[in-house]
Structure formats: structure tokens, C-alpha cells
């Protein structure tokens, strides 16, 4: 807004106040009106002009005195159209002031005007409306300037390759160019004008002589010749100006083109000088051709400035330099305008982005966003921040971060972290924090931070906080549920372990007594009964072992034990275990071990043995006739010092339907689930296989066809054993004859029947036995007597077997006997129990109920190791 417009606004405000005051002094009112510098019209209630001023007549280009307008309608005076509607009528009828109304109209010469009107109703002493007053501000020139600037900016910001439509006046301020042209013409005494490339003038002529401006250019032919001559002078050239006689009269002229981006936009022409080569006769002849008065032409010719050709060429060269400079300025103007436009667009884009950012985060309820300046003062605080921290936006803005939501003990660290972020670029890591609300309570949040630089180079830190209150509650519930599940799982495991111990202990007595009874020369009928009872006891033992093993695997309590073992011995032991079953079923067992597999490997032999035992046992159960084949071969392995073993167990049995192959790997599932199924079992063996293979990091798959048989494929990875100088040949399990005769064995067992079974069995093998009822009793016997070996129960009163073993291995009074072989003889038979007891210092392990042969094998192993 210009200074004059600001002044008009102040006066309008004063008039507004005055107009709403009842008129009681017409003289004073007239003085006020006479002092108004801006146009105004005073009308009655019929919109007839009562008074106006000269400024209004000048604006509307109305000839005559101001009194010539009185009595006329406002529409006739202002719009030059008596039927035109005005806003004054509405103002009078509605008793309402209208401000800043844009009123497009034309002056009385037809020129378009842009006017802003302010309309006020006028009142008498009775506060009755007696007319209206219109005060005008002529914004025509400002509007034209704005439109010109807009056109210029559009032209300047157009891509350089798109120069079509660019005009000379788009590049330069014509007033400045006109002044430059005038000063150049006056200094050089030449005529000067700037035209479009077709010769149409852009600037007003400077220093034109009377011959050209008042005579030749006043004739039709002469003006046409001038335009053609001007167009020929304004050629774009890089070598210099164009200098030639004018086609209209022969005077000397020169010109140089002005360009932008290679496009010719204007010519700067100079000339209208003569030298000795022009004469009056030539001018008379030319006057005849164009229809001008010869004498007048000759008289004007004598007034034309005279100049030497050399002097004119020097002036033309200066002109050429000027036009080159103007071309360069035009290009710079475009570059500068583009820079301004790009910067403005970038600023607008930033403002738009900031507005979107603000709108987005203002309306996000789940993310509290705060902005801080370099001094840690709040500059932004969204609705979610109000909700989480309790401070309203007007309470937070301008307050330091550390004084708002940071606990006292964290404040020094927060201030230092922000300083390092701002000065050293060290980001603040995201994480969980406990901040404080307005009411002093703690609130857990997950806070992320980002530092950004504003367009003015200032640093701003934005923090995005997520309230973790509900999440923490859910987390605590999950932790509680997890703890309860783990406690439940632990309780289940402990229950199963206790049940295992309580069932296996009497079962061991039953099986032991049956085996002892078997050696008392029973009758054939009694032998049949004994074999049936022994078989049922063993079946019950296997079922109990499977349930306990599966439970421990599902509870993830199984420990993988990597030990060195002989794969050939392990394979042979599987064959030996099933030798009797194979004969009873009339089957053939084929075993093939790839000779490329290193004999000694490192891995969990117990789990491998259990996998093979269950798969082969399952194959025997469901193969009524034919054969079972076990193949173990070597696969390529990408891991150094390791090998992959491929195991296939095939049978010619009944097969498994396709839709049941997944089911048989689940616990307590069999293909035949009816009451009349032909095969016994709880359906746990293959479920244990599946879980053990997964536990060892291997893979398992099944291929089966009804009536033709089933093949199980297992792939497992083992490490190579470190070569040693010892004999790697593994001993076969010893028979009764393999135990050294006369072994003196201490049997530690709290249950009387199990003590009796163990002692009687050992006595029949030629061993001497001494009984102890608990660990403390065992230590007392060991202190006063020497023994070759100890069979140690685990769960006993007074002192258990583990504590007794540790005492033997470490107590000073047993230092001479600390290496005595100790075999755990226990009803603790879950997966991992064996490893636990071996770590406690025991040498071997047999689980209740044990067979005589299992006891013999364990004794043979420890005595051989000792020897």
C-alpha cells in the first residue's frame, strides 16, 4: 500500500466517525468536505449528486465545473450510465456501511478504471438517514503496475529455451531505458529510438530532427520507408553495429540488436545525421517521391546535424557495446527472476510442508510431538502432548524442556545430549524413558528425536513420544502370564519327575523279582507266565520313558550333549537291541553303513540312538512280513570339520495314508485310533523323533504307500572327532562272563525290595555286595571298608546320592578313594537326567527298572575304563 493510500485510509476512518454523527453544523461539514484530498460524491436519498470535488472530476475525466454534476444521478456521473446499479442505494436502505468495495468502471473518455469505494449513510439531528457519501481511491495505476509485474515475472521465469512471447519491456523498466536513451542522444547529438524487430517503436524518440519527425514520418510513404529502414538496421550481430544510409531521405543511421537467450527482442537505432555526400537536390527528389513539400524538406534538411563518417562510426560502436550490455542484463534478469521464483516456490513448498506437518501432528492422538529451539525452549506442542503430559499449548510454549517434563536426575544428561546433537552432530538414540506429567506423576514413553535446520539456518529439535502406559500394562500381563506358564510347566515337569520316580521304583522291584524268579528253574507253564509279566513290565517302562521324554522336550528343558562316539558301535547296538524282536516277527533286518563316514564323530549320541530306536521299533511294529532296511550315508557339507549324515529306514509294512502322514508325528496319535486296532502303543515314539530331529537342527520327511511300506528320511549334522593315539575300537556290551570275578560292590538304595533285587542279581554274577540305606550310611561304609564300585540311588532320605557322590569326590577323608567308580541307579529317567548325574561326578547311569544285561553293561564300562 502506497503512502497516499495509507493517508486516504486514515481520512476515511475520520470521515466514517464524522458521517455517523448527526449533522448539526452544515458549515463545519462543508469545511471538512473541502479539505478532502481524495475524490468523493455526496448524494441524497434518491442518489442525486449534491456535492463533489475536483479530484472526483479529474478521476472520471469529466469536463466542466463541479456544479455541472449537481442534480444528476450517481450512476450517470460515476458510470456514465443512468441505469447502472450502485451500492449507495443499499447503504441508504439498509443503514449500513460498505468498505473497500471494488468498483470497476470507465472514465468519460472510455478508459478502464479500477476504483475502491467506501460508502457511508448520513443522518440528521433526528438520526434519520438523509443521504450517503462515497469516498474513492483510484487503484488503476497500482493495478496496472501489479499486472505488468506479474506479466514480467511470468516472462522472466519462463525456461530459457522457451523465449517465445518475451518482450523487451518484460526485461527492463521502460522509464529507466527512456532516460538512458535520452541522455545518450543528448550527449552524442544523434537521434535515438528503441523499436521492436519489425520497426514498431517501444520508446519515445529522442533528439529526432524536424525533417524526420514532422515531415517525412508524417507522409504515408515516408513513414513506411522509415519503418523498413529501421527494421534493416536492427540486425543481430556479434561483430559490430549496422551502419547505412536511411531508406527515407538518405541520412546516416546505425543500429544494433538486443537479444535474450538468442531471441531477438529489440533494436536500438541512432542516426539522422548528414555528411558532405548528401545534398539539397537529392532531398528535393525524395520529397517529390513521398509527396512532401520540397522547400519545407530542404529547409529542414539544413537543420540536420552534420558529422564526419568516422565520428558517427565511433558513436555506433559505443551503441553496439551498450546493446551487448543490455542483452547480458536481460539474461541476468531472467536468472535472477528464476532464482527469486525458485526460492519463492521453495519457501511456499516449505510453508505447505510445515502446514501439512502441523495439521498431521496436531490431529494425531497417539504420538506426542514437541519442537524445541536451540535453547531447548518449546516452539511446538501438539494435542497428544497436552493429553500425555497435561500441559496446555499456551502453558508449554516458551518453557525450557528440562523444566517441563524431564525428571530432575535426568536434566544434566538431557542438556548435554542436546548440546552434543546440535554442536557435534551426535544423534540422541531412541529408547524408553520415564518422564513427568504436570501433576508430577511418571509416564513411560518411547521417545525418538530428530534435529533439523530451518531455512534461516536455525536448529530445531523435534521429539516424538509414544505413551507406553497401556503397553507396559499389557507387557506386565504377558510377563505374568509367561511366569505362570513357566511355573505351570515347571510344576508339570516336577510332577512327572516325581511320578517317574514313584512308578519306576516299585516297577524296578517287580521286574527285578521276576528276573530273579526266572533263574529258579520254574516249570514251562511258569516260564510262560514270567515272560508275559516281564514283557508287560518292559512295555510299561517304555511308555513311561516316552511320556517323560516328550514332556521335557516340549518344556524346552532338553540339553544337547556333544560327545565323541563311535557310529559303527552305535549302529551295531541298535541291531543287537532289536535282534530278538526281528526273530520273533520273522523279519529280515538289513543295515548298511557308508564307509566314507568317519567312524568317530562328535554329537549327541543319546538323541541319535533314541531317534533310530523309535523309527526302527515303529517299523518292526507295523511290518507283518518282509524286511527292514537301515542305510546311513554321507552327504556333502559346506561347514568345515563337519559332515552331514543321511539316514533312511525303510520297511515293507502296511504303509501310511497320505492324509495321515502329518498326524502320526503328533503326540498320542496312531493311524488306527479305533478300539479294535491291531497294534499296541500310545503313539509317542514318532512325535519324540520329530522333536529330537528339530532339536538337533536336522530335517525329517516321510514317503509311504499303502500296502507297500514306509520310508523315513533323516538328515543330521555332526562334527569330526579329534584324532587320538588311543584305540578307537569300541567294545561290545559284555555278557555275564565279562565282569571281573569277585567284585566288591556297595549297593546304596533306600527301598528294600530294590536293594534285594540289586544284591541278589550281583551275587548271582559272582560279586560281593554290601548294602547301605542312604547316602550318609554309604559314606560310613566307605570310610571303614574298601570297595571296587558303588551302585548309588539318587533320591534317598538323610543324604541323597548326588550329595554323597560329591562328598566322595571332594572330601579330604576320601581322597584315597575319590576315584572309585560310581554308577547312578535311579528312577530319575527324564531326558537330561543322565547328563546331570554325570556332571555331579558319577561315572555311568542305569535307569529303573533296569534289566540284568543293562546292569552288566554299565559295570563292564566303568571297570574297563578304570583298568
Amino acid at each position: 500500500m502506497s503512502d497516499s493510500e495509507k493517508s486516504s485510509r486514515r481520512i476515511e476512518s475520520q470521515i466514517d466517525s464524522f458521517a455517523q454523527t448527526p449533522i448539526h453544523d452544515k458549515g463545519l461539514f462543508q469545511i471538512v468536505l473541502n479539505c478532502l484530498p481524495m475524490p468523493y460524491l455526496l448524494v441524497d436519498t434518491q442518489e442525486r449528486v449534491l456535492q463533489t470535488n475536483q479530484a472526483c472530476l479529474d478521476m472520471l475525466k469529466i469536463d466542466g465545473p463541479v456544479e455541472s454534476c449537481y442534480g444528476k444521478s450517481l450512476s450517470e456521473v460515476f458510470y456514465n450510465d443512468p441505469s447502472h446499479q450502485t451500492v449507495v442505494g443499499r447503504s441508504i436502505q439498509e443503514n449500513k456501511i460498505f468498505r473497500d468495495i471494488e468498483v470497476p468502471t470507465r472514465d468519460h473518455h472510455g478508459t478502464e478504471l479500477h476504483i475502491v469505494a467506501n460508502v457511508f449513510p448520513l443522518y440528521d439531528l433526528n438520526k434519520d438517514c438523509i443521504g450517503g457519501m462515497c469516498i474513492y481511491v483510484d487503484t488503476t495505476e497500482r493495478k496496472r503496475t501489479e499486472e505488468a509485474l506479474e506479466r514480467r515475472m511470468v516472462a522472466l521465469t519462463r525456461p530459457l529455451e522457451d523465449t517465445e512471447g518475451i518482450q523487451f519491456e518484460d526485461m527492463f523498466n521502460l522509464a529507466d531505458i527512456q532516460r538512458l536513451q535520452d541522455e545518450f542522444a543528448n550527449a552524442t547529438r544523434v537521434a535515438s529510438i528503441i523499436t521492436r524487430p519489425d520497426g514498431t517503436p517501444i520508446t519515445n524518440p529522442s533528439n529526432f530532427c524536424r525533417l524526420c519527425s514532422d515531415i517525412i514520418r508524417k507522409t504515408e510513404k515516408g513513414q513506411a520507408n522509415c519503418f523498413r529502414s529501421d527494421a534493416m538496421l536492427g540486425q543481430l550481430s556479434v561483430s559490430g553495429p549496422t551502419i547505412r544510409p536511411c531508406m527515407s531521405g538518405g541520412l546516416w543511421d546505425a543500429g544494433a540488436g538486443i537479444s535474450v537467450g538468442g531471441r531477438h527482442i529489440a533494436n536500438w537505432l541512432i542516426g539522422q545525421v548528414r555528411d558532405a555526400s548528401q545534398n539539397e537536390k537529392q532531398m528535393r527528389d525524395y520529397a517529390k517521391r513521398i509527396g512532401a513539400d520540397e522547400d519545407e524538406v530542404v529547409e529542414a534538411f539544413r537543420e540536420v546535424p552534420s558529422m564526419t563518417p568516422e565520428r558517427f562510426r565511433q558513436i555506433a560502436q559505443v551503441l553496439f557495446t551498450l546493446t551487448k550490455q543490455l542483452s547480458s542484463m536481460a539474461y541476468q534478469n531472467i536468472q535472477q527472476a528464476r532464482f527469486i521464483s525458485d526460492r519463492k516456490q521453495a519457501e511456499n513448498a516449505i510453508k505447505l510442508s510445515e502446514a501439512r506437518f502441523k495439521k498431521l501432528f496436531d490431529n494425531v492422538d497417539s504420538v506426542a510431538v514437541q519442537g524445541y529451539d536451540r535453547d531447548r525452549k518449546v516452539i511446538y506442542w501438539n494435542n497428544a502432548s497436552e493429553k500425555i503430559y497435561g500441559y496446555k499449548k499456551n502453558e508449554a510454549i516458551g518453557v525450557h524442556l528440562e523444566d517441563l517434563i524431564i525428571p530432575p536426575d535426568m536434566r544434566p544428561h538431557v542438556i548435554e545430549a542436546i548440546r552434543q546433537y546440535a554442536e557435534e552432530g551426535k544423534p540422541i538414540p531412541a529408547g524408553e524413558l520415564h518422564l513427568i506429567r504436570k501433576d508430577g506423576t511418571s509416564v513411560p514413553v518411547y521417545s525418538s528425536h530428530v534435529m533439523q535446520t530451518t531455512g534461516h539456518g536455525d536448529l530445531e529439535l523435534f521429539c516424538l513420544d509414544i505413551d507406553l502406559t497401556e503397553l507396559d500394562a499389557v507387557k506386565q500381563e504377558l510377563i505374568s502370564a509367561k511366569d505362570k506358564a513357566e511355573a505351570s510347566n515347571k510344576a508339570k515337569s516336577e510332577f512327572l519327575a516325581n511320578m517317574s520316580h514313584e512308578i519306576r521304583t516299585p516297577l524296578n522291584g517287580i521286574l527285578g523279582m521276576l528276573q530273579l524268579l526266572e533263574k529258579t528253574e520254574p516249570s514251562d507253564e511258569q516260564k510262560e507266565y514270567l515272560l508275559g509279566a516281564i514283557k508287560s513290565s518292559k512295555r510299561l517302562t517304555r511308555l513311561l520313558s516316552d511320556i517323560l521324554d516328550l514332556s521335557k522336550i516340549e518344556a524346552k528343558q532338553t540339553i544337547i550333549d556333544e560327545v565323541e562316539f563311535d557310529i559303527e558301535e552305535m549302529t551295531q547296538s541298535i541291531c543287537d537291541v532289536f535282534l530278538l524282536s526281528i526273530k520273533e516277527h520273522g523279519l529280515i533286518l538289513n543295515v548298511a553303513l557308508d564307509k566314507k563316514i568317519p567312524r568317530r564323530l562328535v554329537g549327541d549320541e543319546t538323541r541319535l540312538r533314541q531317534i533310530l530306536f523309535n523309527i526302527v521299533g515303529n517299523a518292526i511294529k507295523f511290518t507283518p512280513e518282509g524286511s527292514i532296511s537301515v542305510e546311513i550315508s554321507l552327504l556333502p557339507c559346506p561347514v568345515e570339520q563337519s559332515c552331514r549324515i543321511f539316514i533312511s529306514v525303510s520297511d515293507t509294512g502296511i504303509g501310511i495314508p497320505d492324509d495321515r502322514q502329518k498326524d502320526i508325528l503328533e503326540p498320542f496319535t496312531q493311524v488306527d485310533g479305533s478300539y479294535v486296532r491291531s497294534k499296541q502303543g500310545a503313539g509317542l515314539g514318532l512325535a519324540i523323533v520329530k522333536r529330537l530331529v528339530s532339536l538337533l537342527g536336522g530335517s525329517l520327511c516321510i514317503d509311504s504307500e499303502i500296502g507297500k511300506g514306509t520310508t523315513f528320511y533323516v538328515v543330521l549334522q555332526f562334527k569330526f572327532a579329534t584324532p587320538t593315539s588311543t584305540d578307537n575300537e569300541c567294545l561290545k556290551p559284555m555278557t555275564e562272563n565279562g565282569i571281573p570275578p569277585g567284585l566288591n560292590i556297595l549297593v546304596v538304595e533306600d527301598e528294600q525290595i530294590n536293594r534285594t533285587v540289586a544284591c541278589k542279581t550281583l551275587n548271582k554274577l559272582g560279586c560281593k555286595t554290601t548294602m547301605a540305606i542312604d547316602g550318609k550310611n554309604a559314606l560310613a561304609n566307605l570310610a571303614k571298608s574298601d570297595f571296587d564300585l558303588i551302585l548309588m540311588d539318587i533320591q534317598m532320605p538323610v543324604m541323597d546320592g548326588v550329595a554323597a557322590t560329591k562328598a566322595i569326590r571332594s572330601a579330604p577323608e576320601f581322597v584315597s578313594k575319590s576315584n572309585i567308580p560310581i554308577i547312578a541307579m535311579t528312577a530319575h529317567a527324564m531326558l537330561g537326567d543322565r547328563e546331570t548325574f554325570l556332571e555331579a561326578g558319577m561315572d555311568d547311569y542305569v535307569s529303573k527298572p533296569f534289566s540284568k544285561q543293562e546292569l552288566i553293561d554299565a559295570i563292564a564300562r566303568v571297570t574297563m575304563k578304570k583298568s
Side-chain angles (χ1 to χ4, degrees), residues 14 67 123 141 167 176 190 211 327 408 456 508 574 576 593 727 731 763 775 795 805-806 862:
Q14 295 169 1
E67 289 80 6
Y123 306 94
E141 193 60 35
Q167 303 294 326
D176 293 338
V190 298
L211 175 65
S327 296
H456 303 293
N508 184 65
I574 295 295
D576 293 343
L593 179 63
D727 185 6
L731 297 173
N763 293 153
Q795 188 169 321
T805 300
K806 290 181 178 179
V862 297

Side-chain angles (χ1 to χ4, degrees), residues 114 142-153:
H114 294 277
R142 187 185 72 188
K143 192 80 172 177
R144 289 172 182 168
T145 302
E146 289 174 351
E147 290 174 351
L149 286 174
E150 180 67 23
R151 288 195 304 272
R152 187 177 183 189
M153 183 57 69

Side-chain angles (χ1 to χ4, degrees), residues 211-212 216 248-251 274 278-290 292-295 297-302 304:
L211 175 65
C212 292
I216 295 177
S248 185
L251 300 179
R274 63 186 177 90
Q278 291 97 12
N279 54 60
E280 294 182 2
K281 183 178 181 306
Q282 292 174 337
M283 298 309 299
R284 287 184 180 278
D285 292 340
Y286 184 66
K288 292 177 182 179
R289 291 199 299 275
I290 64 174
D293 184 273
E294 295 179 29
D295 293 336
V297 167
V298 170
E299 183 181 353
F301 173 71
R302 292 170 183 166
V304 173

Side-chain angles (χ1 to χ4, degrees), residues 141-335:
E141 193 60 35
R142 187 185 72 188
K143 192 80 172 177
R144 289 172 182 168
T145 302
E146 289 174 351
E147 290 174 351
L149 286 174
E150 180 67 23
R151 288 195 304 272
R152 187 177 183 189
M153 183 57 69
V154 170
L156 289 173
T157 55
R158 189 178 296 168
L160 277 179
E161 60 271 15
D162 181 19
T163 56
E164 194 67 33
I166 293 181
Q167 303 294 326
F168 179 83
E169 52 267 42
D170 295 331
M171 302 293 105
F172 304 100
N173 185 308
L174 288 184
D176 293 338
I177 294 298
Q178 185 68 56
R179 185 165 57 254
L180 175 65
Q181 174 190 297
D182 292 344
E183 291 176 356
F184 180 82
N186 291 332
T188 58
R189 296 179 59 248
V190 298
S192 181
I193 192 172
I194 296 176
T195 70
R196 303 194 190 283
D198 63 359
T200 305
I202 297 175
T203 59
N204 296 322
S206 301
N207 218 17
F208 265 38
C209 64
R210 186 168 67 88
L211 175 65
C212 292
S213 62
D214 296 340
I215 301 176
I216 295 177
R217 288 181 182 256
K218 292 296 184 180
T219 67
E220 183 178 349
K221 289 183 179 180
Q223 186 178 42
N225 288 336
C226 286
F227 281 3
R228 283 198 299 273
S229 182
D230 291 347
M232 294 181 66
L233 285 172
Q235 302 293 328
L236 281 180
S237 173
V238 296
S239 57
T242 300
I243 303 174
R244 55 172 294 153
C246 177
M247 294 176 63
S248 185
L251 300 179
W252 281 107
D253 288 338
I258 301 171
S259 66
V260 57
R263 182 176 180 273
H264 189 189
I265 61 170
N267 299 322
W268 191 339
L269 309 179
I270 61 172
Q272 299 181 14
V273 296
R274 63 186 177 90
D275 61 12
S277 63
Q278 291 97 12
N279 54 60
E280 294 182 2
K281 183 178 181 306
Q282 292 174 337
M283 298 309 299
R284 287 184 180 278
D285 292 340
Y286 184 66
K288 292 177 182 179
R289 291 199 299 275
I290 64 174
D293 184 273
E294 295 179 29
D295 293 336
E296 189 176 13
V297 167
V298 170
E299 183 181 353
F301 173 71
R302 292 170 183 166
E303 298 171 2
V304 173
S306 178
M307 191 178 294
T308 65
E310 179 61 27
R311 174 62 179 165
F312 186 68
R313 279 195 294 272
Q314 290 175 350
I315 295 172
Q317 188 61 44
V318 173
L319 173 71
F320 179 71
T321 302
L322 272 175
T323 56
K324 282 177 62 179
Q325 185 63 29
L326 287 175
S327 296
S328 176
M329 286 175 62
Y331 180 80
Q332 291 173 6
N333 286 346
I334 287 181
Q335 293 292 83

Side-chain angles (χ1 to χ4, degrees), residues 644-711:
R644 294 169 72 220
I645 304 300
F646 178 76
I647 303 170
S648 69
V649 180
S650 305
D651 62 54
T652 57
I654 61 175
I656 308 168
D658 291 343
D659 61 342
R660 298 303 306 276
Q661 289 182 16
K662 281 188 177 180
D663 297 339
I664 65 167
L665 297 177
E666 298 304 319
F668 306 104
T669 303
Q670 289 189 337
V671 173
D672 183 3
S674 68
Y675 290 115
V676 295
R677 67 184 187 213
S678 58
K679 304 299 178 183
Q680 296 175 334
L684 292 175
L686 294 181
I688 292 174
V689 168
K690 174 186 175 182
R691 284 154 177 76
L692 286 178
V693 170
S694 176
L695 196 63
L696 295 173
S699 56
L700 168 71
C701 60
I702 306 171
D703 182 23
S704 184
E705 187 175 349
I706 295 294
K708 292 188 177 181
T710 302
T711 302

Side-chain angles (χ1 to χ4, degrees), residues 145 771 777:
T145 302
M771 292 187 290
N777 189 213

Side-chain angles (χ1 to χ4, degrees), residues 468-504:
L468 299 180
T469 303
E470 294 183 3
L471 191 61
D472 273 7
V474 173
K475 183 179 177 182
Q476 291 302 320
E477 289 178 5
L478 289 175
I479 291 173
S480 177
K482 176 176 174 289
D483 291 343
K484 289 178 180 178
E486 289 178 348
S488 175
N489 217 3
K490 183 179 179 182
K492 183 182 77 172
S493 297
E494 290 175 352
F495 170 76
L496 289 172
N498 289 332
M499 289 303 297
S500 169
H501 184 274
E502 295 304 319
I503 294 173
R504 284 176 180 274

Side-chain angles (χ1 to χ4, degrees), residues 536-806:
S536 295
S537 297
K538 289 182 177 179
R539 182 182 162 203
L540 180 58
T541 302
R542 283 196 299 273
L543 174 60
L544 184 62
S545 297
D546 286 348
I547 292 174
L548 296 175
D549 287 350
L550 182 64
S551 174
K552 196 150 190 179
I553 291 171
E554 290 183 337
K556 297 182 180 179
Q557 294 178 354
T558 304
I559 300 171
I560 300 302
D561 188 19
E562 290 197 348
V563 297
E564 187 175 330
F565 68 96
D566 189 319
I567 191 169
E568 187 175 323
E569 184 276 333
M570 188 275 301
T571 306
Q572 183 60 47
S573 69
I574 295 295
C575 297
D576 293 343
V577 168
F578 290 107
L579 187 59
L580 182 59
S581 296
I582 289 291
K583 288 181 180 180
E584 288 178 353
H585 287 75
L587 302 174
I588 299 172
L589 178 62
N590 300 312
V591 179
L593 179 63
D594 191 346
K595 297 299 182 184
K596 295 179 183 178
I597 300 176
R599 183 164 178 176
R600 299 200 66 78
L601 299 173
V602 175
D604 197 324
E605 178 193 8
T606 303
R607 311 294 177 242
L608 175 59
R609 190 185 298 271
Q610 194 171 3
I611 290 169
L612 284 172
F613 182 89
N614 283 337
I615 296 177
V616 174
N618 194 73
I620 294 173
K621 184 190 301 184
F622 292 100
T623 304
E625 61 180 0
S627 62
I628 297 168
S629 299
V630 179
E631 296 183 13
I632 304 176
S633 54
L634 186 66
L635 292 177
C637 183
V639 182
E640 292 185 4
Q641 298 299 310
S642 297
C643 64
R644 294 169 72 220
I645 304 300
F646 178 76
I647 303 170
S648 69
V649 180
S650 305
D651 62 54
T652 57
I654 61 175
I656 308 168
D658 291 343
D659 61 342
R660 298 303 306 276
Q661 289 182 16
K662 281 188 177 180
D663 297 339
I664 65 167
L665 297 177
E666 298 304 319
F668 306 104
T669 303
Q670 289 189 337
V671 173
D672 183 3
S674 68
Y675 290 115
V676 295
R677 67 184 187 213
S678 58
K679 304 299 178 183
Q680 296 175 334
L684 292 175
L686 294 181
I688 292 174
V689 168
K690 174 186 175 182
R691 284 154 177 76
L692 286 178
V693 170
S694 176
L695 196 63
L696 295 173
S699 56
L700 168 71
C701 60
I702 306 171
D703 182 23
S704 184
E705 187 175 349
I706 295 294
K708 292 188 177 181
T710 302
T711 302
F712 284 83
Y713 300 102
V714 179
V715 177
L716 297 171
Q717 184 169 309
F718 298 94
K719 296 177 182 177
F720 293 147
T722 304
T724 62
S725 58
T726 59
D727 185 6
N728 287 332
E729 290 296 326
C730 202
L731 297 173
K732 295 290 196 307
M734 291 188 178
T735 63
E736 294 178 11
N737 300 330
I739 295 179
L743 284 177
N744 189 8
I745 299 175
L746 176 61
V747 178
V748 188
E749 168 66 63
D750 64 316
E751 211 280 324
Q752 181 183 355
I753 295 177
N754 283 313
R755 278 200 309 271
T756 301
V757 169
C759 290
K760 291 292 185 181
T761 301
L762 291 171
N763 293 153
K764 288 181 178 294
L765 294 173
C767 301
K768 299 177 183 179
T769 58
T770 301
M771 292 187 290
I773 62 173
D774 55 46
K776 185 176 180 181
N777 189 213
L779 295 181
N781 279 283
L782 183 60
K784 63 184 180 181
S785 303
D786 293 330
F787 298 97
D788 298 309
L789 184 145
I790 300 175
L791 288 180
M792 182 77 75
D793 188 18
I794 297 299
Q795 188 169 321
M796 297 179 292
V798 184
M799 178 182 285
D800 62 50
V802 173
T805 300
K806 290 181 178 179

